[in-house]
Amino acid sequence: MEDSALQKTNRINLLFDFYERLLTEKQQLFLKQYFHDDYSLGEIASEFQISRQAVYEHIKRAESVLEDYESKLQLLAKHEERQQLLLELNRHIGELGSPGREEARRLLSRLNELD
């Protein structure tokens, strides 16, 4: 159960990194406080003088919006696939002969910098 909650938190944080600017200011703020700063629903509710239920609903709606963006744009999925391909490419570079290895490593480094 705890592992599942951690995986969910990590996923929301990654989605937030990709889609933060597409959220409303309030959604951004609530998600930052809840997932990044580890505020409780009660702490957020107290700060904004609203109910815990209202905070919960805002957060759930923001999570849903993030998942909706991801289902349409697939930025996180493409990023994760790109990272796996870069790791595989790096393994294969070690098998190259000396002349091509350095150039391949230079290009791989440039690809990594794009993310």
Side-chain angles (χ1 to χ4, degrees):
M1 176 95 170
E2 189 175 309
D3 194 36
S4 175
L6 182 59
Q7 286 177 340
K8 178 186 174 189
T9 297
N10 286 339
R11 179 170 175 79
I12 294 298
N13 283 328
L14 287 169
L15 291 173
F16 186 79
D17 288 343
F18 282 102
Y19 304 112
E20 173 182 3
R21 289 182 230 127
L22 300 176
L23 300 172
T24 67
E25 285 184 38
K26 189 174 275 191
Q27 287 172 331
Q28 290 177 34
L29 185 58
F30 284 6
L31 285 178
K32 280 181 186 175
Q33 288 186 335
Y34 189 71
F35 286 104
H36 290 186
D37 301 332
D38 203 27
Y39 283 32
S40 70
L41 295 176
E43 290 170 324
I44 299 168
S46 175
E47 182 175 333
F48 291 94
Q49 299 177 353
I50 58 176
S51 70
R52 289 179 71 242
Q53 183 64 31
V55 173
Y56 176 80
E57 289 171 5
H58 279 291
I59 290 171
K60 286 298 165 193
R61 174 72 181 126
E63 289 176 13
S64 175
V65 168
L66 288 174
E67 291 292 353
D68 188 47
Y69 286 135
E70 177 61 12
S71 73
K72 292 175 181 166
L73 301 173
Q74 297 288 301
L75 296 180
L76 176 58
K78 290 174 186 175
H79 170 76
E80 289 173 341
E81 182 178 5
R82 190 170 35 256
Q83 293 302 309
Q84 287 300 317
L85 291 171
L86 287 170
L87 284 172
E88 189 176 332
L89 181 58
N90 195 34
R91 282 193 299 269
H92 289 295
I93 286 174
E95 299 167 2
L96 291 175
S98 186
R101 185 180 309 140
E102 287 310 309
E103 179 62 13
R105 285 212 166 109
R106 186 185 68 74
L107 292 171
L108 181 63
S109 176
R110 288 185 58 200
L111 282 172
N112 278 319
E113 290 171 6
L114 291 176
D115 274 344

